[in-house]
Amino acid sequence: MISDAVTLKQLEALIWVAELGSFRKAATHLNTTQPNISARIATLEKTLEVRLMHRGGGQLRLTDRGVELLGQARSILNETERFLEIAARPDLIEDRLRLGVTEMVANTWIRTFLRRMKERYPGVAVELTVDLSRNLDKELTSKTLDLTIQNAPFGSSATGVIELGAFEFIWVAAPDVARTLGKNPSLEDLATQPLLTHARHTQIYLDLEEKFSGRTGVNARFVPSSSLTSCLHMALDGMGVATLPRAMVIDQLSAGDLVELSVGWTPSPLRFAARFQKDRAARFVENAAHLAAEVSSDFKAETDC
C-alpha cells in the first residue's frame, strides 16, 4: 500500500509552483492561499525527505531531484485524469482552463464550444481571453494561457497543435454601397471606397497592402481596426467596403443587410489551430483542443452548406 502522506493536492501544488514560478501565482491559479501552497510543498519535502526547490533572491528554482519528481507528478495527475475518464467521471476533475481565442472564434462558434466543455467537464472553470493572434502567442509562451485557438502565422512554437481548418474571406458592403460599385467590381472599383480591414500587422492587412500597392493610379484608403466586429459594424453603416471571414457575416448576408461582392481576389484564408504545450498540459487541456476541432468542423459543415 502507498501511504496517504503524499496527496494529489501536494503534487498539484508542486506542478503549478514550478509552472508559474511563484507560490502566490500558484495559489491564485488553484484558488487557495499562498500559506496553503507553502504548507503543501513543505509537507511534501518533509515526507519525501527531499529538497524540491531553492528559494532566494526573489527567484525559485527546482533542484535536480525536484525536476525529476516534477515529471513524475505530471504523469501521476495525467493518469489520474485518465482513470476518471475510464470510469466515465470527468465531472470529478476540478480545475481551470485559461483559454485564449481570436475575435472571429469569439463571434462564431465559441458559445457552442463552451457549452460542450461545460457538459463534459462541469468542474473545470474556463477563463476566456479574446485578443489578436500575436498577443495570444505571447501569452501561451509566457504560460499565462493553457490553450489558444488562433490563426496563423504563429510567432511561437507549441508542442501540441491541432489543425482546425481554414476560413475564407469575402468582400461585403451595405446594399447602397454595393449598388454604386456594380455587380462585379474590380479592385480599382473597390479602391474608390474606404477599405475596412483588420489591424496593420495582421496577415489580412499585409495581403491587402501588397495587392493594392502595385496598381498604377490606385490610391487605396485602408481603414484598419484591431476589431473585426468594428469593421463589420462600419460596413453595415455604409462607411466602406470590408473584407471579412464569411463565417462572421452569414446572418447579415441572409438578412440582406450586407451584400457579397463578386471580386476576383480575396486575402488568404485564415488557417486556425488549437495550440498548447503537450509536454506539460493536463489531459483535459488536450481533450479541450480536440473538442475545439469537433466544434469547428461542425460549424464549418453548417456554414458551408
Side-chain angles (χ1 to χ4, degrees):
M1 294 290 290
I2 299 175
S3 170
D4 60 3
V6 176
T7 69
L8 293 177
K9 286 190 176 295
Q10 291 169 350
L11 301 184
E12 187 180 51
L14 171 62
I15 289 170
W16 283 105
V17 169
E19 181 78 7
L20 301 176
S22 162
F23 283 74
R24 177 183 56 80
K25 291 179 181 179
T28 299
H29 181 81
L30 295 173
N31 198 29
T32 186
T33 64
Q34 182 172 332
N36 196 357
I37 294 296
S38 298
R40 292 182 194 178
I41 297 297
T43 301
L44 183 60
E45 289 182 319
K46 183 177 180 180
T47 300
L48 299 178
E49 298 181 352
V50 169
R51 185 165 189 175
L52 297 172
M53 56 192 68
H54 298 293
R55 310 163 181 84
Q59 293 185 331
L60 186 150
R61 181 170 55 86
L62 290 179
T63 63
D64 290 342
R65 184 61 66 84
V67 171
E68 187 178 0
L69 290 171
L70 174 64
Q72 290 301 311
R74 292 189 193 280
S75 296
I76 291 169
L77 287 190
N78 280 336
E79 287 304 312
T80 301
E81 283 192 46
R82 177 61 179 155
F83 178 86
L84 294 176
E85 288 172 8
I86 293 173
R89 291 301 306 273
D91 56 298
L92 296 178
I93 297 172
E94 296 182 356
D95 211 317
R96 67 181 66 192
L97 173 65
R98 300 171 300 173
L99 172 65
V101 305
T102 62
E103 188 181 17
M104 198 215 76
V105 175
N107 279 276
T108 51
W109 51 266
I110 191 61
R111 289 181 64 191
T112 302
F113 170 82
L114 293 175
R115 284 197 299 269
R116 293 192 191 178
M117 189 69 188
K118 187 67 175 177
E119 292 168 0
R120 193 167 300 185
Y121 293 104
V124 173
V126 178
E127 297 178 354
L128 184 63
T129 297
V130 181
D131 209 335
L132 297 173
S133 186
R134 72 170 187 169
N135 294 335
L136 298 180
D137 257 328
K138 295 174 183 176
E139 293 193 63
L140 186 64
T141 300
S142 66
K143 303 179 182 179
T144 55
L145 290 176
D146 304 308
L147 173 65
T148 62
I149 301 173
Q150 60 182 120
N151 58 275
F154 308 120
S156 64
S157 61
T159 54
V161 179
I162 298 176
E163 297 291 339
L164 304 182
F167 292 80
E168 66 171 347
F169 278 92
I170 60 172
W171 290 97
V172 294
D176 288 346
V177 175
R179 279 192 288 272
T180 67
L181 294 172
K183 189 173 183 179
N184 301 107
S186 65
L187 291 176
E188 287 76 11
D189 293 328
L190 293 185
T192 64
Q193 296 286 330
L195 302 179
L196 312 172
T197 183
H198 213 187
R200 293 182 184 276
H201 49 75
T202 61
Q203 189 61 51
I204 312 162
Y205 183 91
L206 296 176
D207 282 356
L208 286 171
E209 191 174 48
E210 180 181 1
K211 190 67 176 179
F212 280 90
S213 62
R215 308 187 82 82
T216 304
V218 175
N219 184 25
R221 293 171 290 163
F222 298 117
V223 183
S225 172
S226 60
S227 168
L228 283 176
T229 302
S230 294
C231 293
L232 170 58
H233 291 162
M234 287 188 285
L236 287 167
D237 290 337
M239 297 174 65
V241 176
T243 180
L244 293 166
R246 180 185 296 276
M248 279 190 68
V249 295
I250 291 173
D251 292 342
Q252 291 78 8
L253 292 173
S254 297
D257 297 325
L258 288 176
V259 175
E260 181 177 356
L261 303 174
S262 181
V263 183
W265 176 88
T266 57
S268 303
L270 284 177
R271 179 174 67 84
F272 277 83
R275 306 174 72 240
F276 58 99
Q277 302 301 352
K278 186 178 178 69
D279 53 331
R280 57 181 172 80
R283 282 186 62 87
F284 76 84
V285 174
E286 182 171 357
N287 291 340
H290 286 288
L291 178 61
E294 294 175 16
V295 176
S296 178
S297 177
D298 291 347
F299 176 77
K300 280 182 63 64
E302 293 173 5
T303 56
D304 288 346
C305 293

